Amino acid sequence: MSANVPIIRLIDRFGRLHTSVRLSVTDRCNIRCFYCMPAVDAEFVEKSRLLSFEEIARLASLLVNRCGVRDIRLTGGEPLVRRQLDRLIAMLSRIEGLADLSLTTNGILLGEQAWGLRQAGLKRINISLDTLDEKVFQRISRRSGLEKTIAGIDRAIECGFESIKLNALAIRGITEQEVGRLVEFALQRQVTIRFIEFMPLDADRAWRTDNVLDGDSLLQMIESRFGKVVPIPRDDPAQPAEEFLVGEGRVGIIRSVTVPFCDQCNRLRITADGSIRNCLFAKSETPLRDLMRSGANDDELIAKIQQAIAEKKAAHGIDQTGFEPPERPMYAIGG
Ligand code: SAM
Ligand code: SF4
């Protein structure tokens, strides 16, 4: 980038500066978690309507070089089902000024792909793991796969990523039995585990407040098994996880429902079909794909991105009466 081009900072009406992007590379997935996808008849974007790697790389480099974005997390659907993802990682790793490139995965294909991703330049990885019981895994994901997920986690550890974190959804009626053994599993492997409160983003629209295992209850369960936890001061206020020292390890709690962190939000999202979503719970999107395909120049794309930021609401409003979940469920947004 030329040194003369000024950075157009993505600041919204509430003064929030956006430096972090969640980029979905596919809405397809190899399992069907009930908190995200429907059990059957999931609808997917036609392949020709997905952003190509070249289109993703163009948007990413605009966001970094012209708009001051610092970190990009690839997600989905399941990002590892997108063919040749390592090629995209290599393309994005070459963007100067991108401070952090990371990925969130269910881990099932990591055993085969971890080394290729590491070699392509991926440094940080988050792996979802909600249970250590195959029957519970099947109940949650409506597929088999726990053994492969664990093998994927262990392979990632062998490959020497700079950071590996585990993510577990906190669901009342399921997670109570898992908390202790999941923390134990993470402590043994010296990786951080974070518990994320279940949000109303399931395709089945079955979410109820009662289904959320809240952060306070989680902390009580952790303390009853591992003793008093010690809060670790947050070094980045936009980081949604509160972290605690538990024994020799770290455990995070993300209270997305009970203590929303919208006032610190620095994120925007790009769906696999190339629309900007300024919030997980946004009711509208700003499509970029067709604009790019019809020859829009960089300034025109940046103007659209700015428009999306300007339309961002103050908060997700899950706790407000009359809250309606967004039309697109999690897998179609990019978690
Ligand atoms: N397939 C990958 C995975 O599961 O890790 C990446 C995409 S997934 C949508 C990203 C993250 O969103 C996962 O950690 C998943 O647990 C989380 N997630 C999915 N549905 C959720 C919901 N309703 N509430 C909170 N988190 C959710
Ligand atoms: Fe697939 Fe991830 Fe959604 Fe589970 S949470 S169905 S693994 S996209």
Side-chain angles (χ1 to χ4, degrees):
M1 184 193 49
S2 150
N4 303 328
V5 181
I7 294 279
I8 298 163
R9 297 205 175 279
L10 301 176
I11 301 177
D12 71 5
R13 290 177 293 153
F14 307 96
R16 295 172 296 195
L17 172 66
H18 292 73
T19 56
S20 178
V21 171
R22 295 282 168 122
L23 213 157
S24 175
V25 297
T26 180
D27 55 353
R28 289 172 166 74
C29 187
N30 42 3
I31 57 176
R32 293 286 181 275
C33 304
F34 74 80
Y35 46 70
C36 174
M37 290 186 88
V40 290
D41 297 336
E43 284 174 22
F44 299 115
V45 172
E46 205 185 295
K47 291 214 168 128
S48 64
R49 301 174 75 82
L50 294 176
L51 290 186
S52 67
F53 286 172
E54 287 67 26
E55 287 167 334
I56 292 176
R58 176 179 177 203
L59 274 184
S61 84
L62 263 187
L63 285 161
V64 172
N65 291 325
R66 298 281 309 275
C67 304
V69 162
R70 307 267 308 148
D71 58 84
I72 294 181
R73 174 171 292 276
L74 301 183
T75 182
E78 172 47 40
L80 302 193
V81 303
R82 176 102 188 225
R83 270 195 218 138
Q84 298 187 323
L85 189 73
D86 54 342
R87 191 166 75 80
L88 178 66
I89 300 276
M91 288 162 79
L92 298 181
S93 299
R94 286 196 287 271
I95 300 177
E96 271 181 48
L98 179 59
D100 187 27
L101 176 63
S102 58
L103 171 90
T104 300
T105 170
N106 63 29
I108 292 175
L109 296 173
L110 255 188
E112 309 156 27
Q113 295 188 26
W115 183 239
L117 297 171
R118 180 83 186 90
Q119 279 189 312
L122 187 68
K123 297 196 172 69
R124 299 197 318 117
I125 195 156
N126 286 1
I127 308 165
S128 300
L129 180 72
D130 299 326
T131 175
L132 287 172
D133 179 322
E134 173 63 28
K135 285 215 176 71
V136 180
F137 186 96
Q138 287 177 19
R139 188 173 143 212
I140 294 175
S141 69
R142 295 123 157 187
R143 296 286 188 278
S144 309
L146 178 62
E147 219 176 288
K148 279 194 147 189
T149 303
I150 293 176
I153 293 169
D154 287 335
R155 181 69 188 132
I157 293 170
E158 276 169 21
C159 289
F161 285 93
E162 283 173 15
S163 156
I164 297 177
K165 288 183 182 162
L166 304 180
N167 286 342
L169 265 219
I171 307 160
R172 200 168 277 287
I174 294 182
T175 310
E176 293 88 336
Q177 294 86 305
E178 303 293 337
V179 176
R181 57 186 176 199
L182 283 172
V183 171
E184 197 80 63
F185 176 94
L187 290 177
Q188 279 164 5
R189 286 165 172 76
Q190 299 177 312
V191 296
T192 299
I193 182 157
R194 290 127 35 107
F195 293 90
I196 307 170
E197 291 177 348
F198 175 21
M199 294 184 278
L201 292 165
D202 53 322
D204 297 341
R205 297 206 165 206
W207 180 95
R208 300 288 173 271
T209 317
D210 294 350
N211 306 136
V212 181
L213 182 60
D214 60 283
D216 286 349
S217 304
L218 281 161
L219 278 178
Q220 275 170 17
M221 287 171 202
I222 294 168
E223 292 199 321
S224 73
R225 168 109 174 231
F226 298 93
K228 194 96 192 112
V229 302
V230 182
I232 304 171
R234 242 179 261 223
D235 44 17
D236 172 5
Q239 169 55 251
E242 298 161 60
E243 292 204 336
F244 300 87
L245 274 180
V246 176
E248 307 259 290
R250 276 175 182 238
V251 174
I253 308 273
I254 303 184
R255 305 183 202 235
S256 5
V257 177
T258 60
V259 187
F261 33 84
C262 303
D263 57 343
Q264 299 290 340
C265 181
N266 67 348
R267 281 188 194 163
L268 59 100
R269 295 184 141 77
I270 299 177
T271 61
D273 53 351
S275 288
I276 299 216
R277 288 184 70 92
N278 56 25
C279 172
L280 267 176
F281 295 92
K283 290 284 160 53
S284 63
E285 298 179 346
T286 308
L288 294 181
R289 183 201 57 222
D290 292 348
L291 204 60
M292 290 169 89
R293 291 186 184 172
S294 64
N297 66 29
D298 290 353
D299 291 333
E300 286 165 324
L301 291 174
I302 290 172
K304 277 283 173 196
I305 297 168
Q306 283 181 295
Q307 180 194 322
I309 294 290
E311 288 167 2
K312 182 158 170 157
K313 296 219 168 81
H316 60 42
I318 299 176
D319 47 353
Q320 307 287 306
T321 37
F323 167 81
E324 279 284 329
E327 212 168 282
R328 288 215 212 202
M330 187 62 127
Y331 77 100
I333 295 173

